[in-house]
Amino acid sequence: MMQREMLESEVVRVIGECTEHLCDRQEIAPDTAVADLMIDSLRMVQIVFELETGLGLELPEHALFQVEKVGDLTDLVRLAAHDARKSPCLSESL
């Protein structure tokens, strides 16, 4: 089971890698606004892709428009990870 702290650490790591030329990773906290990190929609797509690929889950696209803070994205990842555990993986059924 992925704990919130582990997921938060992974979200911060991915955001830090995708924005390393824009901000200092130490500035990223759950209450940090996405806008303060200069994350535009294209960069958000990159961050989401990295998270989905790295964690083997799928984030709901409609919810991404509601992400205002880093903690919001962590919550989405946590919910997607929870949903992924409840549903059998497509690759397992092949």
Side-chain angles (χ1 to χ4, degrees), residues 15-46:
I15 290 174
E17 286 180 3
C18 292
T19 61
E20 65 184 329
H21 66 287
L22 299 173
C23 68
D24 182 7
R25 206 179 281 195
Q26 295 176 351
E27 296 175 6
I28 304 171
D31 61 343
T32 303
V34 171
D36 291 346
L37 298 173
M38 294 184 266
I39 296 174
D40 59 12
S41 58
L42 183 58
R43 194 161 316 274
M44 181 60 82
V45 168
Q46 179 186 10

Side-chain angles (χ1 to χ4, degrees), residues 25-74:
R25 206 179 281 195
Q26 295 176 351
E27 296 175 6
I28 304 171
D31 61 343
T32 303
V34 171
D36 291 346
L37 298 173
M38 294 184 266
I39 296 174
D40 59 12
S41 58
L42 183 58
R43 194 161 316 274
M44 181 60 82
V45 168
Q46 179 186 10
I47 290 167
V48 168
F49 175 78
E50 294 294 331
L51 288 169
E52 288 180 335
T53 303
L55 297 173
L57 48 82
E58 187 174 335
L59 298 174
E61 284 185 41
H62 68 278
L64 295 173
F65 297 107
Q66 299 170 356
V67 171
E68 294 180 7
K69 297 185 179 202
V70 172
D72 298 338
L73 185 56
T74 301

